[in-house]
Amino acid sequence: MRIEIEGDASPLGWPAHGCRCSSCAPLRRRGESRAPLRILVDGLPLEDLEAVEVPGGFDVRTASGGRLLYGHHGAWPEPAPGAVYDAVLLDLLGRPEHLAVLRRRGAVAAHTAVHAVHVDHRVRDAAELRRRLEFWRAPVTGPHRTLLLGGSRSGKSAEAELRLIAHPEVTYLATGPRADGSDPEWDERVRAHRTRRPSWWRVVESDELSGLLRGGRGAILVDGLGTWLASVMDRTGAWEDPDSVRPLLAELVTAWRHTEAVVVAVSDEVGLSLVPENRAGRLFRDLLGELNQRLAAESEDVSLVVAGRPLPL
């Protein structure tokens, strides 16, 4: 089955007529545009092929025996029972987690070609679209390790979730305190994270990170390394004797190196902040900075997130 995409934009095109947003305006200034959807399959227009309507789109058959699933703009098509598609054409900017749903149901397999259609100013530019598709189309098997660094409220957790949103099996390791009503501000942060996560993500609240990495399959999101370090420092008495926590740091680096999972870990970038006034703060900064460096050396991807924008390192 040969798919030729002559236009992949939403019905209004990209840039949209009269839109002055920070996505459409630069395209217009450069004289660039992407045409509304037009797709040829084995040389024939998509709309001329044999198709069965499904909720949110069409299940399409080709003369050569190929099968694809097409989703309308702003819709997320239901796969036909038992179908395994050769290609899917999806509005991934609207709901990228639908790709995870299709993978979980077996409708999208390793051989399935994944295409984003109805693209528009919901993403800032074509480069950002390609970046996201690289994550969403990536193999769901590991190993692959990503370390995301950033300051407070930099958007690093949202970036981590975005990278794994299309993965069918995600374990979310929450290393921070639980929402228990004692700290309303913290409880609100926890609720915001829960709202963003797909309902099928498995949540583990623990500081047993090394064991999870050693035995983990699928994808693991670690949020975050700073709260993990604070927890194990409490557990080992490292605030008084820093050497007591170093075996756990070494164990974590080894587990990170040998994991078979797709891992995305969030950590605080401590090197840009003020020097802490007290010994405990300086000790924590030094240990976390050391851990970040050691994990970065064992990672395929390291990025610094600033104002919600990742900068590859």
Side-chain angles (χ1 to χ4, degrees), residues 9 27-28 42 148 159 165 208 210:
L27 281 177
R28 192 176 296 110
D42 294 334
L148 295 178
E159 170 67 17
I165 196 68
E208 297 296 333
S210 297

Side-chain angles (χ1 to χ4, degrees), residues 14-16 18-34 120-121 123-127 309:
W14 188 22
C19 181
R20 300 180 180 179
C21 76
S22 61
S23 174
C24 289
L27 281 177
R28 192 176 296 110
R29 283 195 298 270
R30 294 195 299 267
E32 299 176 7
S33 65
R34 296 175 82 133
D120 56 19
H121 55 194
V123 66
R124 67 174 176 266
D125 54 30
R309 296 200 176 190

Side-chain angles (χ1 to χ4, degrees), residues 109-242:
H111 74 276
T112 306
V114 176
H115 300 279
V117 294
H118 312 304
V119 300
D120 56 19
H121 55 194
R122 289 171 293 176
V123 66
R124 67 174 176 266
D125 54 30
E128 175 64 11
L129 174 63
R130 289 192 298 271
R131 190 186 77 89
R132 296 187 186 190
L133 291 177
E134 182 178 351
F135 305 135
W136 299 340
R137 290 170 171 164
V140 298
T141 56
H144 191 277
R145 290 142 291 228
T146 296
L147 179 63
L148 295 178
L149 304 168
S152 177
R153 311 303 283 179
S154 62
K156 55 189 183 296
S157 293
E159 170 67 17
E161 292 163 12
L162 178 72
R163 292 187 180 215
L164 293 179
I165 196 68
H167 201 287
E169 299 293 338
V170 178
T171 297
Y172 185 103
L173 180 64
T175 62
R178 302 181 182 184
D180 59 7
S182 61
D183 186 339
E185 189 273 338
W186 179 262
D187 292 351
E188 181 57 35
R189 291 190 182 207
V190 172
R191 280 192 292 271
H193 281 245
R194 288 174 177 168
T195 300
R196 288 201 307 257
R197 296 194 299 256
S199 60
W200 61 84
W201 283 16
R202 172 176 169 249
V203 178
V204 175
E205 296 177 327
S206 172
D207 63 9
E208 297 296 333
L209 175 52
S210 297
L212 183 62
L213 292 175
R214 284 193 299 268
R217 299 293 186 273
I220 300 171
L221 194 160
V222 182
D223 196 359
L225 291 175
T227 48
W228 174 84
L229 177 60
S231 177
V232 296
M233 288 180 71
D234 287 342
R235 173 151 56 92
T236 60
W239 301 104
E240 300 300 327
D241 177 14

